[in-house]
Amino acid sequence: MTKIAATATGLPPHRYSQDELIGAFRDLWSQRHYNLERLEQFHRNVLVGGRKLALPLEEYQTLQGFEDTNKAWTRVALDLAEQVTTDLLAKAGLSASDIHQIVFTTVTGLAVPSIEARLMNRMPFSTATKRMPLFGLGCLAGAAGAARLFDYLEGHPEEAGILLSVELCSLTLQREDMSVANIISSGLFGDGAAAVLMVGDKHPLAETAGPSLLDSRSIFFPDSERVMGWDMVDTGFKVVLSQDVAPFARDNLRPGVMEFLREHELTIEDIGVWVAHPGGPKVIQAMTQSFGLPEDALQLSYDSLQRVGNLSSASVLFVLDETLRTKTPEPGTYGMLTAMGPAFAAEAVLMRW
């Protein structure tokens, strides 16, 4: 069985409290927003305490258009990718040349060649390393990327692969967009990177690695394209964020997960560890209610949201990293890693310690 051998996370150095960011947005939108108190309420309701941003706050005002913003994204994304990958390999005691596949995910910038290809010119990966860049899965991609790497390693049990996520959500902000979706997003999303090293069951690290990945399930909800995503406009990525996200989590996720578990002769009550994407407080609450979980079952998701904000695809991997560092489940304990994102869709990965 494929196993998780190591995890690593990384954040840019520019830390701002939510109060500082609220002040910056009040200055930015003071001439255009008729109710600045409502803006502040939106930002406080998402329960984010602060975030680390790709750039110093004052530099955002100097960015002119999508080209300028995307150049900044490419530069910072590559630096963060190198930082988190170096940390990951050091934890595992491997070199870049030991990696057979890289799955890279992002939804906050565009680069061709993609970031993992550029990373291969900075680090001594083998020229035979397989690459799988993923774009468009959004918050879903942390779980979906793990599932796709699992699929690969099940067929290549002697190999090792990396899932790498870099999301710089602050560089997608539309300064002229006064929609509720954009205002909420400006208070919710942050910047960061995460990486997961996974190995097949015949790899030398398999004997001492962490939990095994047993199976995965993709869950697609038809005709829900406007629940979450981007509209591509001249200035870049314009957020689509419906108020239906939490109801989708509450009403639609449970049936798909229950069907998935039944195939393994399991129930929701058999899951001892939940690793859930912290999409926002309402989404976390909706998942807790839908699955009938104890109030503290998703506490690490709340904690991650408060500490760094929603990091899109990287967020569930931050929760995974924290889970592996702070929890020591009994052998045989089942876990579920899950996230939702554009389509609208969900991904679930079944694990066992």
Side-chain angles (χ1 to χ4, degrees):
M1 292 177 288
T2 298
K3 293 191 173 185
I4 297 173
T7 58
T9 61
L11 296 163
H14 313 292
R15 169 77 181 182
Y16 297 95
S17 70
Q18 197 76 333
D19 286 340
E20 290 175 294
L21 294 172
I22 289 171
F25 282 113
R26 288 179 72 100
D27 291 342
L28 175 63
W29 285 328
S30 62
Q31 301 303 313
R32 303 187 60 221
H33 199 280
Y34 68 95
N35 189 342
L36 291 177
E37 285 67 34
R38 184 65 169 158
L39 180 154
E40 181 170 343
Q41 182 182 356
F42 281 141
H43 278 221
R44 297 206 183 280
N45 285 348
V46 296
L47 304 184
V48 176
R51 286 165 283 168
K52 288 196 171 185
L53 304 185
L55 305 175
L57 201 53
E58 61 273 13
E59 287 189 22
Y60 286 86
Q61 290 284 8
T62 69
L63 299 174
Q64 301 297 319
F66 177 63
E67 179 181 0
D68 205 16
T69 300
N70 201 64
K71 284 181 178 178
W73 178 88
T74 303
R75 171 175 52 83
V76 177
L78 183 54
D79 287 344
L80 266 180
E82 182 178 18
Q83 172 190 326
V84 76
T85 303
T86 299
D87 186 20
L88 181 77
L89 292 171
K91 288 181 177 180
L94 297 181
S95 69
S97 61
D98 296 319
I99 302 303
H100 298 85
Q101 181 166 46
I102 306 173
V103 177
F104 172 70
T105 179
T106 191
V107 76
T108 53
L110 299 171
V112 181
S114 46
I115 293 299
E116 85 289 344
R118 298 172 189 233
L119 183 65
M120 289 177 64
N121 287 318
R122 287 195 178 188
M123 301 181 68
F125 286 93
S126 165
T127 56
T129 303
K130 304 175 188 73
R131 299 185 294 113
M132 185 188 293
L134 302 177
F135 180 87
L137 294 174
C139 301
L140 175 72
R148 299 297 82 79
L149 184 54
F150 162 73
D151 292 340
Y152 172 80
L153 290 171
E154 286 295 281
H156 300 81
E158 298 177 352
E159 296 186 0
I162 289 175
L163 168 62
L164 172 63
S165 166
V166 182
E167 301 286 15
L168 305 179
C169 303
S170 68
L171 289 170
T172 68
L173 177 70
Q174 299 296 303
R175 284 176 283 181
E176 302 304 313
D177 180 8
M178 300 305 297
S179 68
V180 171
N182 191 54
I183 292 171
I184 291 175
S185 296
S186 70
L188 176 63
F189 289 95
D191 301 340
V196 180
L197 176 69
M198 294 163 55
V199 298
D201 59 7
K202 294 183 180 179
H203 189 277
L205 290 181
E207 291 186 6
T208 58
S212 299
L213 276 63
L214 304 181
D215 198 2
S216 69
R217 172 61 57 87
S218 298
I219 307 169
F220 185 85
F221 307 116
D223 304 318
S224 57
E225 294 177 16
R226 299 303 293 177
V227 172
M228 178 184 288
W230 297 121
D231 283 333
M232 305 308 297
V233 298
D234 288 344
T235 51
F237 300 88
K238 182 178 180 180
V239 69
V240 174
L241 186 63
S242 167
Q243 62 183 3
D244 294 331
V245 173
F248 257 93
R250 185 186 61 243
D251 300 336
N252 297 299
L253 186 59
R254 180 184 174 94
V257 170
M258 288 182 66
E259 180 183 352
F260 176 41
L261 289 173
R262 277 196 297 270
E263 294 178 3
H264 294 270
E265 301 182 345
L266 298 171
T267 67
I268 287 175
E269 288 71 26
D270 291 316
I271 303 301
V273 177
W274 290 87
V275 181
H277 169 69
K282 291 183 179 179
V283 175
I284 301 172
Q285 183 180 37
M287 290 181 62
T288 302
Q289 294 172 347
S290 176
F291 291 132
L293 302 177
E295 283 299 316
D296 62 350
L298 303 184
Q299 188 59 49
L300 293 183
S301 298
Y302 280 113
D303 293 345
S304 182
L305 181 69
Q306 193 279 332
R307 191 165 53 247
V308 297
N310 182 338
L311 306 179
S312 191
S313 69
S315 262
V316 74
L317 305 182
F318 268 67
V319 179
L320 175 63
D321 177 75
E322 187 71 9
T323 299
L324 296 179
R325 288 193 299 106
T326 62
K327 292 183 178 293
T328 53
E330 292 292 326
T333 299
Y334 288 97
M336 183 70 73
L337 184 149
T338 185
M340 295 177 293
F344 196 63
E347 193 85 19
V349 180
L350 181 63
M351 303 182 294
R352 186 172 62 204
W353 270 261

